[in-house]
mmCIF file of all heavy atoms in Angstrom:
data_model
loop_
_atom_site.group_PDB
_atom_site.id
_atom_site.type_symbol
_atom_site.label_atom_id
_atom_site.label_comp_id
_atom_site.label_asym_id
_atom_site.label_seq_id
_atom_site.Cartn_x
_atom_site.Cartn_y
_atom_site.Cartn_z
ATOM 1 N N LEU A 251 -6.859 14.720 5.128
ATOM 2 C CA LEU A 251 -5.496 14.791 4.607
ATOM 3 C C LEU A 251 -5.332 13.829 3.431
ATOM 4 O O LEU A 251 -4.765 14.196 2.392
ATOM 5 C CB LEU A 251 -4.473 14.469 5.696
ATOM 6 C CG LEU A 251 -3.037 14.262 5.234
ATOM 7 C CD1 LEU A 251 -2.511 15.463 4.459
ATOM 8 C CD2 LEU A 251 -2.139 13.947 6.420
ATOM 9 N N THR A 252 -5.820 12.613 3.575
ATOM 10 C CA THR A 252 -5.731 11.644 2.480
ATOM 11 C C THR A 252 -6.399 12.186 1.225
ATOM 12 O O THR A 252 -5.808 12.135 0.129
ATOM 13 C CB THR A 252 -6.361 10.299 2.886
ATOM 14 O OG1 THR A 252 -5.680 9.785 4.029
ATOM 15 C CG2 THR A 252 -6.288 9.290 1.755
ATOM 16 N N THR A 253 -7.580 12.728 1.372
ATOM 17 C CA THR A 253 -8.297 13.296 0.244
ATOM 18 C C THR A 253 -7.523 14.438 -0.399
ATOM 19 O O THR A 253 -7.382 14.499 -1.632
ATOM 20 C CB THR A 253 -9.697 13.781 0.666
ATOM 21 O OG1 THR A 253 -10.440 12.654 1.165
ATOM 22 C CG2 THR A 253 -10.451 14.416 -0.489
ATOM 23 N N ALA A 254 -6.982 15.339 0.410
ATOM 24 C CA ALA A 254 -6.208 16.470 -0.110
ATOM 25 C C ALA A 254 -4.968 15.987 -0.851
ATOM 26 O O ALA A 254 -4.628 16.502 -1.930
ATOM 27 C CB ALA A 254 -5.818 17.429 1.003
ATOM 28 N N GLY A 255 -4.291 14.985 -0.293
ATOM 29 C CA GLY A 255 -3.113 14.447 -0.956
ATOM 30 C C GLY A 255 -3.427 13.780 -2.276
ATOM 31 O O GLY A 255 -2.722 13.994 -3.278
ATOM 32 N N LEU A 256 -4.469 12.991 -2.319
ATOM 33 C CA LEU A 256 -4.857 12.322 -3.568
ATOM 34 C C LEU A 256 -5.327 13.344 -4.600
ATOM 35 O O LEU A 256 -5.037 13.191 -5.789
ATOM 36 C CB LEU A 256 -5.927 11.275 -3.288
ATOM 37 C CG LEU A 256 -5.514 10.120 -2.376
ATOM 38 C CD1 LEU A 256 -6.673 9.158 -2.157
ATOM 39 C CD2 LEU A 256 -4.289 9.385 -2.895
ATOM 40 N N ASP A 257 -6.028 14.392 -4.147
ATOM 41 C CA ASP A 257 -6.430 15.471 -5.063
ATOM 42 C C ASP A 257 -5.214 16.170 -5.646
ATOM 43 O O ASP A 257 -5.181 16.495 -6.833
ATOM 44 C CB ASP A 257 -7.320 16.498 -4.351
ATOM 45 C CG ASP A 257 -8.707 15.978 -4.050
ATOM 46 O OD1 ASP A 257 -9.080 14.903 -4.566
ATOM 47 O OD2 ASP A 257 -9.423 16.658 -3.277
ATOM 48 N N ALA A 258 -4.205 16.420 -4.806
ATOM 49 C CA ALA A 258 -2.991 17.090 -5.262
ATOM 50 C C ALA A 258 -2.267 16.247 -6.316
ATOM 51 O O ALA A 258 -1.776 16.772 -7.317
ATOM 52 C CB ALA A 258 -2.057 17.383 -4.079
ATOM 53 N N ILE A 259 -2.236 14.956 -6.115
ATOM 54 C CA ILE A 259 -1.585 14.064 -7.082
ATOM 55 C C ILE A 259 -2.369 14.070 -8.396
ATOM 56 O O ILE A 259 -1.788 14.142 -9.477
ATOM 57 C CB ILE A 259 -1.469 12.637 -6.506
ATOM 58 C CG1 ILE A 259 -0.494 12.637 -5.331
ATOM 59 C CG2 ILE A 259 -1.022 11.653 -7.575
ATOM 60 C CD1 ILE A 259 -0.565 11.381 -4.477
ATOM 61 N N ALA A 260 -3.684 14.007 -8.303
ATOM 62 C CA ALA A 260 -4.526 13.960 -9.504
ATOM 63 C C ALA A 260 -4.567 15.290 -10.259
ATOM 64 O O ALA A 260 -4.773 15.307 -11.468
ATOM 65 C CB ALA A 260 -5.940 13.550 -9.126
ATOM 66 N N ALA A 261 -4.344 16.386 -9.552
ATOM 67 C CA ALA A 261 -4.513 17.721 -10.154
ATOM 68 C C ALA A 261 -3.403 18.087 -11.134
ATOM 69 O O ALA A 261 -3.600 18.934 -11.992
ATOM 70 C CB ALA A 261 -4.588 18.787 -9.067
ATOM 71 N N GLY A 262 -2.257 17.505 -10.997
ATOM 72 C CA GLY A 262 -1.171 17.910 -11.864
ATOM 73 C C GLY A 262 -0.311 16.758 -12.306
ATOM 74 O O GLY A 262 -0.545 15.604 -11.945
ATOM 75 N N SER A 263 0.687 17.096 -13.070
ATOM 76 C CA SER A 263 1.603 16.070 -13.577
ATOM 77 C C SER A 263 3.032 16.328 -13.111
ATOM 78 O O SER A 263 3.976 15.845 -13.724
ATOM 79 C CB SER A 263 1.551 16.030 -15.105
ATOM 80 O OG SER A 263 1.924 17.287 -15.623
ATOM 81 N N ALA A 264 3.171 17.081 -12.030
ATOM 82 C CA ALA A 264 4.504 17.398 -11.513
ATOM 83 C C ALA A 264 5.269 16.107 -11.209
ATOM 84 O O ALA A 264 4.698 15.110 -10.778
ATOM 85 C CB ALA A 264 4.395 18.240 -10.244
ATOM 86 N N GLU A 265 6.566 16.147 -11.463
ATOM 87 C CA GLU A 265 7.405 14.975 -11.233
ATOM 88 C C GLU A 265 7.551 14.649 -9.755
ATOM 89 O O GLU A 265 7.834 13.516 -9.397
ATOM 90 C CB GLU A 265 8.790 15.217 -11.821
ATOM 91 C CG GLU A 265 8.813 15.319 -13.322
ATOM 92 C CD GLU A 265 10.199 15.623 -13.850
ATOM 93 O OE1 GLU A 265 11.175 15.558 -13.081
ATOM 94 O OE2 GLU A 265 10.295 15.930 -15.039
ATOM 95 N N GLN A 266 7.395 15.670 -8.904
ATOM 96 C CA GLN A 266 7.630 15.460 -7.483
ATOM 97 C C GLN A 266 6.508 16.061 -6.646
ATOM 98 O O GLN A 266 6.011 17.155 -6.940
ATOM 99 C CB GLN A 266 8.961 16.072 -7.060
ATOM 100 C CG GLN A 266 9.299 15.800 -5.608
ATOM 101 C CD GLN A 266 10.723 16.197 -5.272
ATOM 102 O OE1 GLN A 266 11.279 17.103 -5.853
ATOM 103 N NE2 GLN A 266 11.313 15.516 -4.325
ATOM 104 N N ILE A 267 6.141 15.341 -5.595
ATOM 105 C CA ILE A 267 5.193 15.813 -4.591
ATOM 106 C C ILE A 267 6.013 16.123 -3.356
ATOM 107 O O ILE A 267 6.775 15.265 -2.869
ATOM 108 C CB ILE A 267 4.125 14.744 -4.252
ATOM 109 C CG1 ILE A 267 3.453 14.187 -5.501
ATOM 110 C CG2 ILE A 267 3.146 15.278 -3.224
ATOM 111 C CD1 ILE A 267 2.629 15.177 -6.273
ATOM 112 N N VAL A 268 5.877 17.339 -2.833
ATOM 113 C CA VAL A 268 6.583 17.736 -1.610
ATOM 114 C C VAL A 268 5.533 18.053 -0.557
ATOM 115 O O VAL A 268 4.626 18.857 -0.797
ATOM 116 C CB VAL A 268 7.495 18.966 -1.836
ATOM 117 C CG1 VAL A 268 8.137 19.409 -0.531
ATOM 118 C CG2 VAL A 268 8.561 18.644 -2.884
ATOM 119 N N ILE A 269 5.659 17.436 0.600
ATOM 120 C CA ILE A 269 4.729 17.680 1.703
ATOM 121 C C ILE A 269 5.434 18.623 2.677
ATOM 122 O O ILE A 269 6.445 18.274 3.279
ATOM 123 C CB ILE A 269 4.351 16.365 2.395
ATOM 124 C CG1 ILE A 269 3.697 15.405 1.395
ATOM 125 C CG2 ILE A 269 3.411 16.651 3.579
ATOM 126 C CD1 ILE A 269 3.468 14.012 1.917
ATOM 127 N N ASP A 270 4.905 19.838 2.794
ATOM 128 C CA ASP A 270 5.461 20.870 3.679
ATOM 129 C C ASP A 270 4.845 20.713 5.054
ATOM 130 O O ASP A 270 3.646 20.903 5.236
ATOM 131 C CB ASP A 270 5.160 22.249 3.089
ATOM 132 C CG ASP A 270 5.809 23.372 3.864
ATOM 133 O OD1 ASP A 270 6.002 23.233 5.083
ATOM 134 O OD2 ASP A 270 6.111 24.395 3.247
ATOM 135 N N LEU A 271 5.675 20.384 6.036
ATOM 136 C CA LEU A 271 5.193 20.093 7.396
ATOM 137 C C LEU A 271 5.479 21.212 8.392
ATOM 138 O O LEU A 271 5.313 21.026 9.594
ATOM 139 C CB LEU A 271 5.832 18.787 7.889
ATOM 140 C CG LEU A 271 5.441 17.542 7.102
ATOM 141 C CD1 LEU A 271 6.395 16.388 7.398
ATOM 142 C CD2 LEU A 271 4.023 17.138 7.400
ATOM 143 N N ALA A 272 5.886 22.373 7.913
ATOM 144 C CA ALA A 272 6.287 23.466 8.820
ATOM 145 C C ALA A 272 5.200 23.827 9.818
ATOM 146 O O ALA A 272 5.480 24.124 10.980
ATOM 147 C CB ALA A 272 6.697 24.701 8.016
ATOM 148 N N GLY A 273 3.957 23.812 9.398
ATOM 149 C CA GLY A 273 2.866 24.244 10.259
ATOM 150 C C GLY A 273 2.201 23.154 11.076
ATOM 151 O O GLY A 273 1.213 23.388 11.765
ATOM 152 N N VAL A 274 2.761 21.949 11.049
ATOM 153 C CA VAL A 274 2.160 20.835 11.785
ATOM 154 C C VAL A 274 2.599 20.889 13.237
ATOM 155 O O VAL A 274 3.774 20.896 13.558
ATOM 156 C CB VAL A 274 2.541 19.477 11.139
ATOM 157 C CG1 VAL A 274 2.012 18.323 11.987
ATOM 158 C CG2 VAL A 274 2.009 19.399 9.727
ATOM 159 N N THR A 275 1.592 20.928 14.131
ATOM 160 C CA THR A 275 1.885 20.987 15.568
ATOM 161 C C THR A 275 1.773 19.637 16.244
ATOM 162 O O THR A 275 2.290 19.447 17.339
ATOM 163 C CB THR A 275 0.929 21.977 16.245
ATOM 164 O OG1 THR A 275 -0.421 21.572 15.990
ATOM 165 C CG2 THR A 275 1.154 23.399 15.745
ATOM 166 N N PHE A 276 1.111 18.680 15.573
ATOM 167 C CA PHE A 276 0.899 17.349 16.148
ATOM 168 C C PHE A 276 0.548 16.398 15.007
ATOM 169 O O PHE A 276 -0.170 16.776 14.089
ATOM 170 C CB PHE A 276 -0.240 17.378 17.171
ATOM 171 C CG PHE A 276 -0.660 16.025 17.665
ATOM 172 C CD1 PHE A 276 0.026 15.390 18.681
ATOM 173 C CD2 PHE A 276 -1.753 15.373 17.099
ATOM 174 C CE1 PHE A 276 -0.368 14.133 19.136
ATOM 175 C CE2 PHE A 276 -2.156 14.114 17.534
ATOM 176 C CZ PHE A 276 -1.451 13.507 18.558
ATOM 177 N N ILE A 277 1.043 15.165 15.102
ATOM 178 C CA ILE A 277 0.640 14.117 14.167
ATOM 179 C C ILE A 277 0.644 12.800 14.916
ATOM 180 O O ILE A 277 1.570 12.515 15.687
ATOM 181 C CB ILE A 277 1.523 14.092 12.900
ATOM 182 C CG1 ILE A 277 0.935 13.168 11.863
ATOM 183 C CG2 ILE A 277 2.963 13.758 13.235
ATOM 184 C CD1 ILE A 277 1.559 13.300 10.469
ATOM 185 N N ASP A 278 -0.406 12.011 14.714
ATOM 186 C CA ASP A 278 -0.463 10.706 15.362
ATOM 187 C C ASP A 278 -0.380 9.598 14.318
ATOM 188 O O ASP A 278 -0.098 9.860 13.143
ATOM 189 C CB ASP A 278 -1.715 10.582 16.242
ATOM 190 C CG ASP A 278 -3.016 10.510 15.464
ATOM 191 O OD1 ASP A 278 -2.999 10.422 14.223
ATOM 192 O OD2 ASP A 278 -4.088 10.524 16.121
ATOM 193 N N SER A 279 -0.631 8.367 14.740
ATOM 194 C CA SER A 279 -0.484 7.226 13.828
ATOM 195 C C SER A 279 -1.452 7.293 12.651
ATOM 196 O O SER A 279 -1.119 6.856 11.552
ATOM 197 C CB SER A 279 -0.643 5.925 14.589
ATOM 198 O OG SER A 279 -1.931 5.831 15.161
ATOM 199 N N THR A 280 -2.655 7.844 12.865
ATOM 200 C CA THR A 280 -3.583 7.939 11.742
ATOM 201 C C THR A 280 -3.096 8.972 10.717
ATOM 202 O O THR A 280 -3.289 8.794 9.523
ATOM 203 C CB THR A 280 -5.015 8.294 12.191
ATOM 204 O OG1 THR A 280 -5.010 9.546 12.887
ATOM 205 C CG2 THR A 280 -5.580 7.206 13.105
ATOM 206 N N GLY A 281 -2.453 10.030 11.204
ATOM 207 C CA GLY A 281 -1.855 11.015 10.303
ATOM 208 C C GLY A 281 -0.697 10.412 9.516
ATOM 209 O O GLY A 281 -0.560 10.641 8.312
ATOM 210 N N LEU A 282 0.130 9.631 10.206
ATOM 211 C CA LEU A 282 1.224 8.955 9.511
ATOM 212 C C LEU A 282 0.679 7.976 8.477
ATOM 213 O O LEU A 282 1.213 7.855 7.377
ATOM 214 C CB LEU A 282 2.127 8.224 10.509
ATOM 215 C CG LEU A 282 2.958 9.083 11.441
ATOM 216 C CD1 LEU A 282 3.733 8.207 12.427
ATOM 217 C CD2 LEU A 282 3.891 10.003 10.670
ATOM 218 N N GLY A 283 -0.401 7.286 8.831
ATOM 219 C CA GLY A 283 -1.035 6.376 7.888
ATOM 220 C C GLY A 283 -1.522 7.110 6.640
ATOM 221 O O GLY A 283 -1.378 6.597 5.513
ATOM 222 N N ALA A 284 -2.066 8.306 6.827
ATOM 223 C CA ALA A 284 -2.510 9.106 5.673
ATOM 224 C C ALA A 284 -1.319 9.472 4.787
ATOM 225 O O ALA A 284 -1.416 9.421 3.549
ATOM 226 C CB ALA A 284 -3.235 10.365 6.146
ATOM 227 N N LEU A 285 -0.199 9.818 5.411
ATOM 228 C CA LEU A 285 1.006 10.129 4.629
ATOM 229 C C LEU A 285 1.467 8.921 3.824
ATOM 230 O O LEU A 285 1.897 9.057 2.669
ATOM 231 C CB LEU A 285 2.125 10.627 5.543
ATOM 232 C CG LEU A 285 1.920 11.961 6.227
ATOM 233 C CD1 LEU A 285 3.114 12.297 7.125
ATOM 234 C CD2 LEU A 285 1.693 13.076 5.207
ATOM 235 N N VAL A 286 1.381 7.751 4.400
ATOM 236 C CA VAL A 286 1.781 6.517 3.695
ATOM 237 C C VAL A 286 0.856 6.255 2.515
ATOM 238 O O VAL A 286 1.323 5.894 1.422
ATOM 239 C CB VAL A 286 1.817 5.320 4.675
ATOM 240 C CG1 VAL A 286 1.976 4.004 3.920
ATOM 241 C CG2 VAL A 286 2.940 5.483 5.693
ATOM 242 N N VAL A 287 -0.443 6.477 2.677
ATOM 243 C CA VAL A 287 -1.395 6.311 1.567
ATOM 244 C C VAL A 287 -1.038 7.288 0.435
ATOM 245 O O VAL A 287 -1.014 6.912 -0.743
ATOM 246 C CB VAL A 287 -2.844 6.523 2.043
ATOM 247 C CG1 VAL A 287 -3.806 6.621 0.868
ATOM 248 C CG2 VAL A 287 -3.266 5.402 2.977
ATOM 249 N N ILE A 288 -0.743 8.522 0.800
ATOM 250 C CA ILE A 288 -0.372 9.539 -0.203
ATOM 251 C C ILE A 288 0.919 9.118 -0.900
ATOM 252 O O ILE A 288 1.031 9.225 -2.131
ATOM 253 C CB ILE A 288 -0.235 10.915 0.458
ATOM 254 C CG1 ILE A 288 -1.611 11.398 0.939
ATOM 255 C CG2 ILE A 288 0.387 11.932 -0.498
ATOM 256 C CD1 ILE A 288 -1.538 12.587 1.891
ATOM 257 N N ARG A 289 1.883 8.635 -0.161
ATOM 258 C CA ARG A 289 3.149 8.193 -0.749
ATOM 259 C C ARG A 289 2.914 7.068 -1.760
ATOM 260 O O ARG A 289 3.445 7.093 -2.869
ATOM 261 C CB ARG A 289 4.105 7.730 0.337
ATOM 262 C CG ARG A 289 5.431 7.213 -0.199
ATOM 263 C CD ARG A 289 6.331 6.687 0.926
ATOM 264 N NE ARG A 289 7.576 6.245 0.386
ATOM 265 C CZ ARG A 289 7.799 5.010 -0.100
ATOM 266 N NH1 ARG A 289 6.828 4.117 -0.094
ATOM 267 N NH2 ARG A 289 8.982 4.677 -0.582
ATOM 268 N N LYS A 290 2.131 6.083 -1.369
ATOM 269 C CA LYS A 290 1.854 4.953 -2.271
ATOM 270 C C LYS A 290 1.178 5.427 -3.548
ATOM 271 O O LYS A 290 1.515 4.967 -4.644
ATOM 272 C CB LYS A 290 0.987 3.911 -1.565
ATOM 273 C CG LYS A 290 1.736 3.115 -0.530
ATOM 274 C CD LYS A 290 0.841 2.084 0.116
ATOM 275 C CE LYS A 290 1.604 1.281 1.160
ATOM 276 N NZ LYS A 290 0.728 0.291 1.807
ATOM 277 N N ALA A 291 0.240 6.363 -3.418
ATOM 278 C CA ALA A 291 -0.445 6.879 -4.604
ATOM 279 C C ALA A 291 0.502 7.666 -5.497
ATOM 280 O O ALA A 291 0.445 7.581 -6.722
ATOM 281 C CB ALA A 291 -1.616 7.764 -4.180
ATOM 282 N N ALA A 292 1.390 8.446 -4.888
ATOM 283 C CA ALA A 292 2.352 9.219 -5.681
ATOM 284 C C ALA A 292 3.295 8.288 -6.435
ATOM 285 O O ALA A 292 3.537 8.494 -7.630
ATOM 286 C CB ALA A 292 3.156 10.157 -4.757
ATOM 287 N N LEU A 293 3.799 7.279 -5.768
ATOM 288 C CA LEU A 293 4.698 6.337 -6.425
ATOM 289 C C LEU A 293 3.973 5.565 -7.526
ATOM 290 O O LEU A 293 4.548 5.328 -8.592
ATOM 291 C CB LEU A 293 5.313 5.379 -5.410
ATOM 292 C CG LEU A 293 6.226 6.037 -4.360
ATOM 293 C CD1 LEU A 293 6.721 5.002 -3.353
ATOM 294 C CD2 LEU A 293 7.390 6.769 -5.004
ATOM 295 N N ALA A 294 2.719 5.197 -7.288
ATOM 296 C CA ALA A 294 1.947 4.488 -8.301
ATOM 297 C C ALA A 294 1.715 5.364 -9.535
ATOM 298 O O ALA A 294 1.577 4.851 -10.641
ATOM 299 C CB ALA A 294 0.602 4.035 -7.726
ATOM 300 N N ALA A 295 1.694 6.686 -9.321
ATOM 301 C CA ALA A 295 1.507 7.625 -10.442
ATOM 302 C C ALA A 295 2.839 8.000 -11.081
ATOM 303 O O ALA A 295 2.888 8.867 -11.951
ATOM 304 C CB ALA A 295 0.789 8.887 -9.934
ATOM 305 N N GLY A 296 3.912 7.353 -10.623
ATOM 306 C CA GLY A 296 5.225 7.624 -11.213
ATOM 307 C C GLY A 296 5.890 8.887 -10.703
ATOM 308 O O GLY A 296 6.757 9.442 -11.369
ATOM 309 N N ARG A 297 5.484 9.355 -9.547
ATOM 310 C CA ARG A 297 6.026 10.591 -8.980
ATOM 311 C C ARG A 297 6.976 10.273 -7.825
ATOM 312 O O ARG A 297 6.833 9.257 -7.148
ATOM 313 C CB ARG A 297 4.896 11.495 -8.464
ATOM 314 C CG ARG A 297 3.702 11.595 -9.360
ATOM 315 C CD ARG A 297 3.797 12.734 -10.355
ATOM 316 N NE ARG A 297 2.669 12.814 -11.260
ATOM 317 C CZ ARG A 297 1.425 13.094 -10.922
ATOM 318 N NH1 ARG A 297 1.085 13.310 -9.696
ATOM 319 N NH2 ARG A 297 0.488 13.145 -11.857
ATOM 320 N N ARG A 298 7.899 11.185 -7.591
ATOM 321 C CA ARG A 298 8.750 11.115 -6.399
ATOM 322 C C ARG A 298 8.031 11.862 -5.285
ATOM 323 O O ARG A 298 7.208 12.729 -5.534
ATOM 324 C CB ARG A 298 10.100 11.766 -6.636
ATOM 325 C CG ARG A 298 10.942 11.010 -7.671
ATOM 326 C CD ARG A 298 12.173 11.797 -8.024
ATOM 327 N NE ARG A 298 11.700 13.048 -8.642
ATOM 328 C CZ ARG A 298 12.391 14.172 -8.694
ATOM 329 N NH1 ARG A 298 13.570 14.263 -8.182
ATOM 330 N NH2 ARG A 298 11.884 15.254 -9.261
ATOM 331 N N ILE A 299 8.370 11.553 -4.035
ATOM 332 C CA ILE A 299 7.744 12.235 -2.905
ATOM 333 C C ILE A 299 8.788 12.521 -1.848
ATOM 334 O O ILE A 299 9.747 11.762 -1.664
ATOM 335 C CB ILE A 299 6.572 11.406 -2.321
ATOM 336 C CG1 ILE A 299 5.765 12.241 -1.326
ATOM 337 C CG2 ILE A 299 7.060 10.097 -1.720
ATOM 338 C CD1 ILE A 299 4.374 11.696 -1.064
ATOM 339 N N GLY A 300 8.618 13.662 -1.173
ATOM 340 C CA GLY A 300 9.521 14.038 -0.093
ATOM 341 C C GLY A 300 8.811 15.000 0.837
ATOM 342 O O GLY A 300 7.656 15.381 0.613
ATOM 343 N N VAL A 301 9.496 15.366 1.903
ATOM 344 C CA VAL A 301 8.967 16.313 2.875
ATOM 345 C C VAL A 301 9.892 17.506 2.987
ATOM 346 O O VAL A 301 11.094 17.408 2.730
ATOM 347 C CB VAL A 301 8.759 15.662 4.262
ATOM 348 C CG1 VAL A 301 7.689 14.594 4.210
ATOM 349 C CG2 VAL A 301 10.060 15.083 4.795
ATOM 350 N N SER A 302 9.320 18.649 3.358
ATOM 351 C CA SER A 302 10.136 19.835 3.579
ATOM 352 C C SER A 302 9.709 20.490 4.888
ATOM 353 O O SER A 302 8.634 20.227 5.405
ATOM 354 C CB SER A 302 9.991 20.836 2.419
ATOM 355 O OG SER A 302 8.680 21.357 2.374
ATOM 356 N N ASN A 303 10.588 21.341 5.389
ATOM 357 C CA ASN A 303 10.339 22.080 6.633
ATOM 358 C C ASN A 303 9.900 21.140 7.760
ATOM 359 O O ASN A 303 8.918 21.385 8.430
ATOM 360 C CB ASN A 303 9.303 23.182 6.407
ATOM 361 C CG ASN A 303 9.755 24.169 5.374
ATOM 362 O OD1 ASN A 303 10.881 24.631 5.392
ATOM 363 N ND2 ASN A 303 8.884 24.469 4.407
ATOM 364 N N LEU A 304 10.660 20.091 7.928
ATOM 365 C CA LEU A 304 10.344 19.031 8.872
ATOM 366 C C LEU A 304 10.698 19.450 10.293
ATOM 367 O O LEU A 304 11.880 19.596 10.620
ATOM 368 C CB LEU A 304 11.122 17.781 8.472
ATOM 369 C CG LEU A 304 10.814 16.469 9.122
ATOM 370 C CD1 LEU A 304 9.366 16.070 8.892
ATOM 371 C CD2 LEU A 304 11.727 15.386 8.583
ATOM 372 N N PRO A 305 9.697 19.656 11.177
ATOM 373 C CA PRO A 305 10.003 19.987 12.563
ATOM 374 C C PRO A 305 10.766 18.841 13.231
ATOM 375 O O PRO A 305 10.510 17.660 12.919
ATOM 376 C CB PRO A 305 8.624 20.168 13.206
ATOM 377 C CG PRO A 305 7.695 20.454 12.061
ATOM 378 C CD PRO A 305 8.269 19.666 10.907
ATOM 379 N N PRO A 306 11.686 19.129 14.135
ATOM 380 C CA PRO A 306 12.500 18.084 14.765
ATOM 381 C C PRO A 306 11.670 16.977 15.409
ATOM 382 O O PRO A 306 12.017 15.803 15.307
ATOM 383 C CB PRO A 306 13.317 18.840 15.807
ATOM 384 C CG PRO A 306 13.396 20.222 15.289
ATOM 385 C CD PRO A 306 12.100 20.468 14.569
ATOM 386 N N ARG A 307 10.561 17.325 16.036
ATOM 387 C CA ARG A 307 9.770 16.289 16.718
ATOM 388 C C ARG A 307 9.132 15.322 15.695
ATOM 389 O O ARG A 307 8.986 14.145 15.976
ATOM 390 C CB ARG A 307 8.705 16.921 17.613
ATOM 391 C CG ARG A 307 7.651 17.687 16.881
ATOM 392 C CD ARG A 307 6.771 18.523 17.781
ATOM 393 N NE ARG A 307 5.856 19.322 17.022
ATOM 394 C CZ ARG A 307 6.157 20.429 16.348
ATOM 395 N NH1 ARG A 307 7.386 20.866 16.343
ATOM 396 N NH2 ARG A 307 5.239 21.103 15.685
#
Side-chain angles (χ1 to χ4, degrees):
L251 170 56
T252 300
T253 299
L256 297 179
D257 288 349
I259 293 166
S263 59
E265 294 177 10
Q266 184 170 30
I267 308 295
V268 176
I269 302 171
D270 185 330
L271 296 164
V274 175
T275 57
F276 171 83
I277 189 167
D278 70 7
S279 61
T280 59
L282 291 177
L285 292 179
V286 169
V287 169
I288 293 166
R289 178 183 182 274
K290 286 181 180 179
L293 296 177
R297 317 270 178 65
R298 294 172 297 156
I299 191 161
V301 294
S302 66
N303 301 313
L304 190 60
R307 66 191 175 285

